[in-house]
Amino acid sequence: MKMESVECVISRKRIESRVIELGRQITDDYAGAELLVVGILNGAFIFMADLVRHIQLPCMVDFVRVSSYGPETSSSGKIKFIKDIELPVVGKDVLFVEDIVDTGLTLFKLMEVFQARNAKSVRTCVLIDKRERREHSVCVDYTGFVVSAGFLVGYGLDCAEQYRQLPEVFRLIKS
Ligand code: IMP
Ligand code: MG
């Protein structure tokens, strides 16, 4: 595996305890709900797997995969479904699980689509809220960590499809 220079920004210990807290909070907030947890592939796969094991409620799990196209970082950007969910959405309390929110485009558009599909509620849970490039105002209901800047990898996050399997979150250092 090609290793660029990296520095650890979120340790395994901090991730583990924050995921437990988020799971507890979601468990409290969604008591009695028809919870449908929707992971956004590929980046959310590790966070999602850990998080759902701390949600002590009946819930369903599904995944979407989307890609941004057009001018990716402009407000006219669009998303395209590579994979849509397979479970019905109408009347469900949808909770999107995402690795990182950057410009906000992905979550903003997904929320629009799922609201239009008549989900009962649509909320978001992100491991990392990175605010330096935000262009779409999205409500992040459950945030693991706020990171001001930089390109992050590990715990699901990639750079050119590398690094996803690292157990902690690192910042890439340009050399
Ligand atoms: P957004 O639509 O601009 O909010 O972009 C979100 C997506 O961009 C995330 O799901 C990631 O796939 C990717 N992304 C944004 N910042 C990073 C990063 O620092 N590391 C890895 N992926 C990132
Ligand atoms: Mg992603």
Side-chain angles (χ1 to χ4, degrees):
M1 183 171 75
K2 184 176 144 220
M3 283 299 283
E4 286 154 80
S5 188
V6 294
E7 63 178 353
C8 182
V9 287
I10 312 171
S11 69
R12 191 192 294 231
K13 234 179 158 176
R14 285 179 69 208
I15 294 171
E16 275 170 12
S17 56
R18 191 68 190 118
V19 169
I20 291 170
E21 285 172 3
L22 289 170
R24 282 204 192 115
Q25 218 181 322
I26 291 165
T27 302
D28 289 347
D29 293 352
Y30 282 90
E34 285 206 52
L35 180 56
L36 171 57
V37 185
V38 178
I40 304 173
L41 295 170
N42 290 338
F45 79 115
I46 294 180
F47 177 41
M48 170 97 165
D50 285 345
L51 181 68
V52 292
R53 283 178 283 178
H54 294 287
I55 299 177
Q56 314 279 321
L57 291 172
C59 73
M60 289 189 277
V61 165
D62 207 340
F63 292 91
V64 291
R65 183 158 193 206
V66 295
S67 70
S68 313
Y69 64 99
E72 199 177 321
T73 59
S74 94
S75 50
S76 61
K78 293 179 181 170
I79 58 164
K80 184 172 83 176
F81 279 90
I82 312 251
K83 184 216 171 306
D84 205 340
I85 61 164
E86 286 153 58
L87 296 172
V89 174
V90 179
K92 295 289 185 295
D93 294 291
V94 172
L95 179 64
F96 282 112
V97 176
E98 172 68 308
D99 55 354
I100 185 164
V101 54
D102 183 18
T103 67
L105 174 72
T106 307
L107 277 178
F108 185 84
K109 293 287 178 190
L110 279 172
M111 289 185 76
E112 261 186 5
V113 170
F114 277 66
Q115 273 152 358
R117 289 176 178 180
N118 292 324
K120 186 174 170 199
S121 67
V122 184
R123 290 193 196 162
T124 58
C125 175
V126 305
L127 177 70
I128 297 165
D129 185 349
K130 188 172 76 172
R131 297 186 172 161
E132 64 171 337
R133 304 197 316 148
R134 191 63 39 84
E135 291 178 17
H136 300 266
S137 130
V138 283
C139 172
V140 180
D141 299 284
Y142 304 95
T143 304
F145 302 92
V146 176
V147 172
S148 57
F151 200 84
L152 307 177
V153 296
Y155 197 68
L157 290 110
D158 76 307
C159 176
E161 298 302 327
Q162 292 293 327
Y163 305 107
R164 291 193 195 275
Q165 83 276 29
L166 299 179
E168 316 189 282
V169 176
F170 296 85
R171 181 180 285 118
L172 281 187
I173 301 166
K174 288 179 199 146
S175 46

